[in-house]
Amino acid sequence: MKNSGKPAEWQKPLEELVARESSYNPNAKNPKSSASGLFQFLDGTRANYGGRKVDWNDPYQQAVNGIQYVVDRYGDPYKALKFWDKNKWY
């Protein structure tokens, strides 16, 4: 969180998102879609967040891009979790 420049209180809700999406497994893969990694990025999402410039095998780079995705799409991880609670995905 320190390196992200985001509020420290975002740590817990971001951890909860990752727990729900991948059980903290940076190598997690969804057998029904192209979703993979800590934040379960789809191929299209990965393309929008660095694509081949990012080492998607690196959990740190997954986290950096995952946090940015949460901010871009939901504004903060609390809203992302609220959406997840309603839809069982985010």
Side-chain angles (χ1 to χ4, degrees):
M1 287 309 298
K2 267 185 199 178
N3 293 341
S4 74
K6 305 298 185 247
E9 60 267 12
W10 285 14
Q11 179 85 29
K12 290 288 184 197
L14 285 166
E15 287 178 9
E16 181 62 24
L17 277 174
V18 170
R20 292 179 187 189
E21 288 294 309
S22 66
S23 299
Y24 300 103
N25 180 356
N27 302 308
K29 295 193 184 308
N30 184 322
K32 297 178 184 177
S33 74
S34 65
S36 65
L38 293 171
F39 286 81
Q40 290 293 284
F41 272 19
L42 297 168
D43 285 345
T45 307
R46 277 190 295 279
N48 291 329
Y49 285 85
R52 293 187 176 144
K53 295 177 191 170
V54 173
D55 178 0
W56 292 103
N57 294 312
D58 179 353
Y60 177 80
Q61 291 185 43
Q62 289 182 34
V64 167
N65 287 287
I67 292 167
Q68 190 58 54
Y69 170 79
V70 167
V71 170
D72 291 348
R73 179 158 180 164
Y74 300 99
D76 65 53
Y78 300 102
K79 292 175 187 165
L81 276 175
K82 189 173 183 178
F83 185 93
W84 201 103
D85 288 341
K86 183 178 178 185
N87 300 284
K88 304 303 179 219
W89 63 273
Y90 84 114

